[in-house]
Amino acid sequence: MATNCKDYDFLQIEPYWQSFWEKSKSFRAENGSTKPKYYILDMFPYPSGAGLHIGHPEGYTATDILARYKRARGLNVLHPIGWDAFGLPAEQHAVKTGTHPATNTQNNIVNFRRQIKALGFSYDWDREVDTTDPTYFRWTQWIFLQLFRRGLAYVDERPVWWCPELRTVLANEEVIDGRSEVGNFPVERRNLRQWVLRITAYAEQLLDGLKQVDWPDSTKRMQEAWIGRSEGAEVVFGLEDPSLGKLKVFTTRPDTLFGCTYMVLAPEHPLVPQLTTPAQQPLVDAYRKKTANKSDLERTDLAKEKSGVFSGSYAINPINNSRVPIWIADYVLMGYGTGAIMAVPAHDERDFEFARQFQLPITRVIEAPDGSPELPYAGDGKVVNSPGYDGLAWPEAKKKITADLAARGLGKGTVNYKLRDWLFSRQRYWGEPFPVVWVSETDYRHAASVRTDLPAEPVTFTENGQVHYALPLPDAALPLVLPDVKSYLPSGTGESPLANETAWLEIWLNVVTGASVPASAPRPSGNEWIRGRRETNTMPQWAGSCWYYLRYLDPQNPRAIASPEALKYWDVPDLYVGGAEHAVLHLLYARFWHKVLFDLGIVPQNEPFRRLFHQGIILGEDGQKMSKSRGNVVNPDDIIRKYGADSLRLYLMFLGPLEAMKPWNPQGIEGVHRFLRKVWRECLTEEGTINPRLSAAGQLSADTERLLHETIRKVGEDIEGLRFNTAISQMMILLNALQKETALPRPAILDVLRLLAPFAPHLAEELWARLGESGSIMSAGWPTFDPAKLVATSITIVIQVNGKHRGEVTAPVGASESDLLALASANPKVSPHLADKAVKRTIYVKGRLLNILV
């Protein structure tokens, strides 16, 4: 036991049991155990300087309850924790203070670890991972090399969001209304050399895999929309000036080709300069410059005013050879399809508004079944004003026109995706270095002659007329670690601070071993040494979080991500719990990497997360999302000091359904704290001795015994279904009933403690020990219920006379209406209201109420 405290002194009890669990390694999971396994995964946190706020423990408490319950049921439970620790905030702190990001990150991790342990979570700390640890990111780099060797990583000049203040590139998702999500700084468009991962090669697999998983429907729909599969045709438009080539467009509705009255190119389209006539050049240049500072979201917002400019050139419609003006407009994106569209304003709202604004022709080619003349019309119907196809239903016309274009070499059926390849580099210091060295073509060919691990097609980029080749480091040279730098500010060229570290950057490289020496030193002897320049970009924070769930399986393994045995035994997480804000990016990227590892034969299944659950958000007391600026953040440390970790755990689960959005109410925690004190008083007296009401020979009343067995059944089912709030309510009902018993059988209160242990583990351990039970309550198993005792032999019926409540009677289950009337007539509270009165009739609500009309 923790102390000889007479009262419920959680400030002494909780640290004692936390220390006990840590010393005894109570939550260690065993690889290859003969027990059935259960793997519970939390989305691991970014260790910010602010520490945990009250929203973090919500999901962690839920998974901890489930983990403790599964252990009590005899399962070998893996419940790990780690840190997603690379990221921009640590680098910004380093820029301001000069403190190495690693120092700041480790200080934050120490604080997070302290807070998490103070909540009593049953993590296996021997499996803790940190994405900034070289023994971890060695394998992040290794996975990147697998992608590289399979042709899934390449370099491209990309228009990216550049933030001059942060001096880094931002992803589309990190830009909001033309400003950075972090810091709210203005951003601009720039073309920079970027590493890109070919996630589009897995678009169909990523869609198909959603059919295999037990995820919230809303999350599946978000991923489906992000991938954006659409079937249609690629159509080739000629140009009025044939020397300029041809224009390819993707359309889902080739049946509307006769209604195409103009075309639109994205402002970034490579043909825009050639297609722009001298007269239109000033207007086009001004428009492109204006567009450059808009986000994709702004450009495609349906509610925004349409904008565009005529290029001065015309295309030729392949279906009827009509002359089609070519416009430039920002609502077309270069990254989707071909960056060019055929506009059919009669049957598309966006095209219709654009055509009206710029007074372009509108030609109906689909007739509404009811003959309605209203435009734009986007429904079903038959084709009109389309010679050779009039009268066909639009799906039939779509097939026929596509086939006819294909026969003439002017189109083909195809599938398109909104999904774009993944921009996978950042111009930052604090991230995983790319295990790549840029070399000359001659040196690359030499390396290819002595190594077998290079991709089939070299990855190159051209700068100032010189072609550079990407040479991957050998696996034996991993991890490639970051050098210490004098300044954490990115270089003025747009490259990361690594570009300033010449001794690390410019090297002599041994192409066989990956060993290196600074280029300022003499070239080592041997023809395996070549001159090279390291990659200055670093990987995004997503990289380390794409595969961490695999490293938990075998975190000390120096030879592989995890052993085949561990991968086979633990399989994938049985439950993954985290916020819905990660519904697309993290989950999509992790699925992509996992599918690649599956294709490589490294993991035995092709989906990483079988079951996914999103916990709701804990709002501030004011009903707003918690933030420092609003001053509504609740620190769990403060709650623990006042009420204890068990009260906090219980209250977080009692607030409402786990998936719901719930406001924090500081008064509400008082109720669950009183409940825990009631449990304490049922077990111990004010002097701290065993309550004399507890008796080994005691017997519960029939109703309370049935309630006990019903509670055991319901709490187990509710935990399995993650319905923790109703499980707690049921335990409160049971405790109220037990308090009314004249004597309390010891086995009953022990069952209560075993039910409560996953929710309030410190209190349950303490009382288990104080009642003289041996060992930890965690080894006591889960209580069982007797199905036979769930069946009631008697029921309580409310008696009304002329609709007014007059009393209750206890009757055998199955008692007839006449039996109940006889019992009511004999009841001393009811009989005075029936005396000398004739019963006209009775109304019986079976099992609940008898209303006697007199």
Side-chain angles (χ1 to χ4, degrees):
M1 65 190 79
T3 67
N4 289 319
C5 56
K6 295 179 181 180
D7 197 12
Y8 174 35
D9 188 349
F10 49 83
L11 292 179
Q12 292 189 58
I13 292 168
E14 291 177 353
Y16 172 86
W17 287 105
Q18 289 159 15
S19 175
F20 170 84
W21 295 327
E22 188 167 355
K23 289 176 183 176
S24 60
K25 295 189 180 295
S26 301
F27 314 122
R28 181 166 52 193
E30 298 293 338
N31 280 10
S33 169
T34 56
K35 294 180 180 179
K37 70 92 185 181
Y38 199 84
Y39 180 7
I40 305 173
L41 181 68
D42 292 308
M43 286 187 184
F44 65 168
Y46 172 73
S48 68
L52 289 176
H53 64 69
I54 209 70
H56 286 101
E58 182 193 18
Y60 300 162
T61 300
T63 55
D64 190 65
I65 291 169
L66 183 63
R68 288 174 176 274
Y69 164 78
K70 291 290 186 180
R71 289 191 195 98
R73 297 298 299 264
L75 277 69
N76 181 29
V77 174
L78 173 56
H79 191 209
I81 190 66
W83 317 105
D84 189 10
F86 276 123
L88 187 56
E91 187 156 348
Q92 288 179 301
H93 185 268
V95 168
K96 293 175 184 175
T97 66
T99 305
H100 196 290
T103 302
N104 185 46
T105 297
Q106 289 308 309
N107 290 339
N108 293 346
I109 286 175
V110 168
N111 185 45
F112 262 67
R113 190 186 294 121
R114 173 194 63 79
Q115 289 185 293
I116 282 176
K117 287 185 175 182
L119 284 154
F121 295 143
S122 60
Y123 291 124
D124 182 349
W125 287 100
D126 288 345
R127 295 176 183 259
E128 181 182 7
V129 301
D130 170 1
T131 58
T132 68
D133 185 336
T135 64
Y136 179 92
F137 72 69
R138 167 193 177 180
W139 297 106
T140 307
Q141 293 172 333
W142 182 86
I143 295 172
F144 169 78
L145 290 180
Q146 310 315 304
L147 294 159
F148 179 87
R149 290 164 185 156
R150 287 178 70 86
L152 295 171
Y154 62 97
V155 166
D156 195 15
E157 284 273 335
R158 288 293 178 93
V160 295
W161 288 114
W162 170 258
C163 179
E165 185 70 26
L166 297 176
R167 297 195 182 185
T168 190
V169 169
L170 301 175
N172 287 326
E173 300 75 31
E174 296 171 309
V175 175
I176 300 171
D177 297 329
R179 305 184 76 86
S180 64
E181 184 180 30
V182 175
N184 194 36
F185 301 119
V187 298
E188 61 189 43
R189 281 295 212 192
R190 273 194 192 180
N191 280 331
L192 284 179
R193 177 180 59 80
Q194 300 289 340
W195 280 97
V196 186
L197 297 187
R198 211 181 301 275
I199 191 173
T200 52
Y202 279 75
E204 199 65 36
Q205 290 187 46
L206 289 166
L207 269 179
D208 289 343
L210 293 172
K211 301 169 187 173
Q212 305 171 24
V213 294
D214 179 11
W215 286 17
D217 287 340
S218 59
T219 301
K220 287 186 179 183
R221 286 195 299 271
M222 288 174 71
Q223 290 219 353
E224 287 168 353
W226 192 268
I227 296 167
R229 186 184 193 276
S230 53
E231 294 184 8
E234 183 180 85
V235 181
V236 180
F237 280 72
L239 295 173
E240 196 169 47
D241 180 354
S243 68
L244 295 178
K246 295 180 179 180
L247 267 180
K248 290 182 179 179
V249 302
F250 171 80
T251 177
T252 58
R253 296 294 300 271
D255 51 294
T256 63
L257 256 173
F258 284 91
C260 171
T261 59
Y262 66 98
M263 298 187 73
V264 182
L265 302 188
E268 305 86 1
H269 197 288
L271 280 179
V272 167
Q274 295 97 302
L275 290 172
T276 303
T277 61
Q280 293 297 105
Q281 192 74 52
L283 293 173
V284 170
D285 289 347
Y287 185 77
R288 295 179 81 189
K289 185 175 180 180
K290 182 180 178 182
T291 301
N293 289 322
K294 291 184 180 180
S295 71
D296 289 356
L297 196 61
E298 288 177 291
R299 288 172 58 173
T300 55
D301 183 1
L302 291 175
K304 81 175 182 72
E305 183 180 350
K306 300 298 177 287
S307 66
V309 61
F310 179 44
S311 70
S313 294
Y314 292 83
I316 305 301
N317 191 329
I319 200 73
N320 60 4
N321 293 319
S322 63
R323 198 165 174 252
V324 181
I326 300 172
W327 283 68
I328 297 154
D330 62 6
Y331 72 82
V332 176
L333 302 177
M334 194 60 219
Y336 177 61
T338 64
I341 67 161
M342 53 173 252
V344 184
H347 304 291
D348 180 274
E349 183 177 349
R350 183 183 55 180
D351 295 346
F352 181 80
E353 291 176 5
F354 190 94
R356 281 205 309 182
Q357 184 162 334
F358 294 102
Q359 298 180 346
L360 295 167
I362 298 172
T363 302
R364 174 190 283 276
V365 290
I366 302 291
E367 187 175 53
D370 62 0
S372 170
E374 188 176 344
L375 294 176
Y377 175 70
D380 292 336
K382 292 185 177 181
V383 172
V384 295
N385 300 322
S386 303
Y389 304 93
D390 286 345
L392 295 177
W394 75 263
E396 187 180 352
K398 176 178 177 178
K399 291 178 184 176
K400 192 171 189 307
I401 289 176
T402 301
D404 290 349
L405 289 172
R408 295 164 53 203
L410 295 174
K412 62 179 180 179
T414 188
V415 173
N416 201 51
Y417 301 92
K418 287 183 181 177
L419 179 68
R420 304 180 209 177
D421 281 341
W422 176 9
L423 190 66
F424 191 69
S425 52
R426 299 290 184 270
Q427 287 62 53
R428 299 174 187 163
Y429 169 77
W430 193 230
E432 299 92 341
F434 281 91
V436 167
V437 177
W438 291 101
V439 300
S440 69
E441 180 178 3
T442 300
D443 287 337
Y444 185 86
R445 300 300 176 200
H446 172 60
S449 70
V450 295
R451 285 173 54 181
T452 59
D453 61 342
L454 305 189
E457 291 293 328
V459 172
T460 65
F461 85 94
T462 303
E463 183 180 48
N464 299 324
Q466 184 177 356
V467 181
H468 303 271
Y469 284 69
L471 181 66
L473 291 179
D475 292 352
L478 303 180
L480 172 63
V481 299
L482 292 164
D484 290 331
V485 296
K486 299 181 186 68
S487 170
Y488 299 101
L489 288 171
S491 66
T493 63
E495 293 181 286
S496 80
L498 296 175
N500 299 323
E501 299 304 310
T502 307
W504 179 85
L505 187 67
E506 304 288 349
I507 59 170
W508 294 110
L509 176 73
N510 186 307
V511 297
V512 177
T513 67
S516 65
V517 296
S520 57
R523 181 181 185 275
S525 60
N527 63 5
E528 68 272 18
W529 290 91
I530 62 173
R531 181 68 182 265
R533 188 178 194 268
R534 294 195 192 277
E535 173 61 68
T536 59
N537 286 318
T538 54
M539 298 185 198
Q541 190 173 359
W542 305 111
S545 63
C546 274
W547 70 279
Y548 71 107
Y549 58 96
L550 296 172
R551 192 59 176 168
Y552 284 143
L553 309 185
D554 200 6
Q556 311 306 323
N557 192 326
R559 294 174 300 278
I561 286 174
S563 71
E565 294 78 16
L567 288 163
K568 182 179 180 181
Y569 176 76
W570 289 111
D571 193 45
V572 295
D574 296 277
L575 176 66
Y576 193 18
V577 174
E581 67 271 19
H582 299 294
V584 174
L585 298 182
H586 157 62
L587 290 168
L588 193 67
Y589 295 157
R591 293 179 62 222
F592 167 46
W593 276 32
H594 192 93
K595 287 178 181 296
V596 173
L597 293 174
F598 174 74
D599 287 346
L600 289 166
I602 294 166
V603 296
Q605 64 294 104
N606 65 0
E607 281 291 336
F609 312 122
R610 186 170 292 123
R611 183 187 177 200
L612 174 71
F613 190 94
H614 297 310
Q615 82 273 15
I617 296 173
I618 302 289
L619 301 174
E621 192 177 347
D622 57 1
Q624 300 294 314
K625 190 172 181 179
M626 289 189 188
S627 71
K628 282 184 180 179
S629 60
R630 293 193 181 101
N632 62 355
V633 174
V634 179
N635 188 329
D637 291 350
D638 299 335
I639 307 300
I640 290 172
R641 277 192 292 270
K642 189 172 181 180
Y643 297 103
D646 282 343
S647 292
L648 176 55
R649 291 166 59 106
L650 211 63
Y651 183 54
L652 285 171
M653 296 298 97
F654 193 57
L655 273 170
L658 182 60
E659 66 274 18
M661 187 179 292
K662 308 166 282 281
W664 175 261
N665 180 355
Q667 284 73 46
I669 197 170
E670 295 278 359
V672 296
H673 187 66
R674 284 195 299 272
F675 167 68
L676 293 179
R677 287 194 174 277
K678 283 183 184 180
V679 175
W680 180 275
R681 288 196 299 271
E682 284 303 304
C683 296
L684 302 175
T685 65
E686 292 182 359
E687 288 73 35
T689 58
I690 296 176
N691 192 329
R693 287 186 69 232
L694 296 181
S695 166
Q699 183 67 38
L700 293 175
S701 65
D703 285 347
T704 304
E705 184 176 26
R706 185 175 67 255
L707 180 61
L708 171 63
H709 285 265
E710 172 63 25
T711 301
I712 294 171
R713 180 190 65 80
K714 180 169 175 52
V715 170
E717 290 178 355
D718 283 352
I719 292 175
E720 294 274 9
L722 307 181
R723 298 183 297 272
F724 304 110
N725 58 322
T726 55
I728 294 167
S729 296
Q730 184 69 26
M731 287 188 283
M732 289 176 170
I733 292 169
L734 174 62
L735 185 66
N736 287 339
L738 292 174
Q739 288 181 306
K740 296 174 184 177
E741 295 286 310
T742 53
L744 191 55
R746 182 183 176 90
I749 201 65
L750 294 179
D751 280 347
V752 170
L753 294 180
R754 289 193 287 168
L755 291 174
L756 188 60
F759 298 82
H762 309 88
L763 175 76
E765 288 275 27
E766 179 72 10
L767 291 176
W768 186 263
R770 295 282 281 268
L771 292 178
E773 295 298 316
S774 61
S776 167
I777 195 170
M778 292 190 304
S779 60
W782 189 251
T784 57
F785 65 90
D786 183 350
K789 292 186 177 178
L790 297 177
V791 181
T793 58
S794 62
I795 52 175
T796 299
I797 302 295
V798 172
I799 304 297
Q800 294 180 344
V801 177
N802 288 346
K804 293 184 178 180
H805 180 274
R806 297 304 185 186
E808 294 92 22
V809 298
T810 300
V813 172
S816 66
E817 200 168 331
S818 58
D819 293 336
L820 294 174
L821 179 60
L823 288 170
S825 300
N827 186 290
K829 292 183 179 180
V830 178
S831 58
H833 301 282
L834 300 178
D836 303 323
K837 293 174 184 172
V839 176
K840 292 183 178 179
R841 66 190 182 98
T842 58
I843 301 172
Y844 179 40
V845 179
K846 191 170 183 179
R848 294 174 56 195
L849 178 148
L850 180 70
N851 185 13
I852 306 169
L853 304 179
V854 298

